[in-house]
Amino acid sequence: NAGVMQNPRHLVRRRGQEARLRCSPMKGHSHVYWYRQLPEEGLKFMVYLQKENIIDESGMPKERFSAEFPKEGPSILRIQQVVRGDSAAYFCASSPGGQGYEQYFGPGTRLTVT
Amino acid sequence: DQQVKQNSPSLSVQEGRISILNCDYTNSMFDYFLWYKKYPAEGPTFLISISSIKDKNEDGRFTVFLNKSAKHLSLHIVPSQPGDSAVYFCAATYYFGNEKLTFGTGTRLTIIP
């Protein structure tokens, strides 16, 4: 049973370009969460999605960031017009839903903005 | 506002001894707590969890204790092994609602052979 898959593992973008990060949840998991870890900090929640629905986006910056989890295919975190401060590790997690279920994390995408 | 705090950024423990990692929280609405372990350049790996109806949960070498009145939890690892060297994060959430995890800033555990 494959775990949470994220790609690419490393992404380098110049300031002003777009970054697209992909996440495929574990088989049987319908809940996806995105977190960001800045250097020397803990993980910060960004957004929680179920298929075709954004459930909680309280941690998403108001501009340039968007997320989707379509009916078919992976969840996508999109960052438009990247700036140096977007450089971080972005982690996706999934859970099967229900109460108290643990979230299982992917290996992360390390975004570097030059 | 840091709702989950891990006040020790690092901890060194001799191999074979007990490692105790601590975590405090301020939001009394949290009722489900988790510990994750993270190696460099990898995602966090789930270790163990506890709900607020319990004060202790064990899984092999790992035991988590919860003191609700003090809003404090701890992770005990015994005996500590070299492979336990990693960064440990505690996280808190709500049992009902599939809510986001709120993480502490992590404690780097080093096991000395």
Side-chain angles (χ1 to χ4, degrees):
Chain A
N1 187 12
V4 178
M5 311 280 283
Q6 288 188 252
N7 68 79
R9 293 293 307 274
H10 301 275
L11 183 60
V12 179
R13 285 288 177 265
R14 290 200 178 99
R15 278 179 297 171
Q17 291 185 320
E18 179 178 289
R20 280 185 176 237
L21 289 63
R22 294 174 187 77
C23 169
S24 296
M26 285 179 70
K27 188 175 180 180
H29 286 192
S30 57
H31 298 240
V32 166
Y33 307 78
W34 286 91
Y35 294 83
R36 175 166 66 174
Q37 185 181 25
L38 295 170
E40 305 302 321
E41 293 188 13
L43 284 80
K44 303 286 188 190
F45 168 78
M46 299 182 75
V47 63
Y48 161 35
L49 310 102
Q50 294 179 27
K51 285 285 187 182
E52 301 184 280
N53 286 304
I54 296 175
I55 308 301
D56 180 0
E57 56 181 348
S58 59
M60 288 276 270
K62 293 287 185 286
E63 297 177 354
R64 302 187 297 108
F65 285 72
S66 62
E68 62 177 8
F69 189 16
K71 188 176 180 181
E72 301 292 336
S75 175
I76 307 285
L77 179 67
R78 182 182 178 206
I79 312 172
Q80 295 178 289
Q81 299 176 310
V82 295
V83 301
R84 288 229 173 97
D86 297 332
S87 295
Y90 292 81
F91 293 97
C92 169
S94 72
S95 76
Q99 286 88 39
Y101 279 102
E102 296 79 27
Q103 295 178 20
Y104 294 88
F105 283 80
T109 293
R110 273 137 195 91
L111 173 65
T112 302
V113 179
T114 61
Chain B
D1 176 31
Q2 190 69 29
Q3 297 187 70
V4 179
K5 301 177 185 178
Q6 294 177 257
N7 292 320
S8 298
S10 62
L11 175 68
S12 294
V13 174
Q14 206 80 29
E15 181 179 357
R17 307 292 285 264
I18 183 171
S19 296
I20 300 176
L21 297 97
N22 294 303
C23 179
D24 298 292
Y25 60 97
T26 57
N27 185 345
S28 57
M29 299 300 291
F30 288 141
D31 58 5
Y32 197 67
F33 305 90
L34 308 91
W35 284 94
Y36 284 84
K37 171 182 176 180
K38 187 180 180 304
Y39 293 120
E42 294 185 12
T45 301
F46 169 73
L47 278 176
I48 192 169
S49 62
I50 187 167
S51 77
S52 59
I53 61 173
K54 294 184 175 182
D55 55 17
K56 177 182 174 182
N57 190 25
E58 287 182 85
D59 185 0
R61 295 187 299 115
F62 302 94
T63 302
V64 56
F65 295 92
L66 175 62
N67 182 334
K68 282 187 295 182
S69 60
K71 296 193 184 70
H72 177 84
L73 61 154
S74 61
L75 174 69
H76 293 210
I77 306 172
V78 57
S80 299
Q81 299 174 354
D84 296 330
S85 294
V87 177
Y88 289 78
F89 292 98
C90 69
T93 188
Y94 311 96
Y95 188 77
F96 293 100
N98 297 308
E99 289 281 353
K100 61 192 177 187
L101 296 179
T102 300
F103 281 87
T105 50
T107 297
R108 182 178 303 276
L109 175 65
T110 302
I111 304 303
I112 304 164

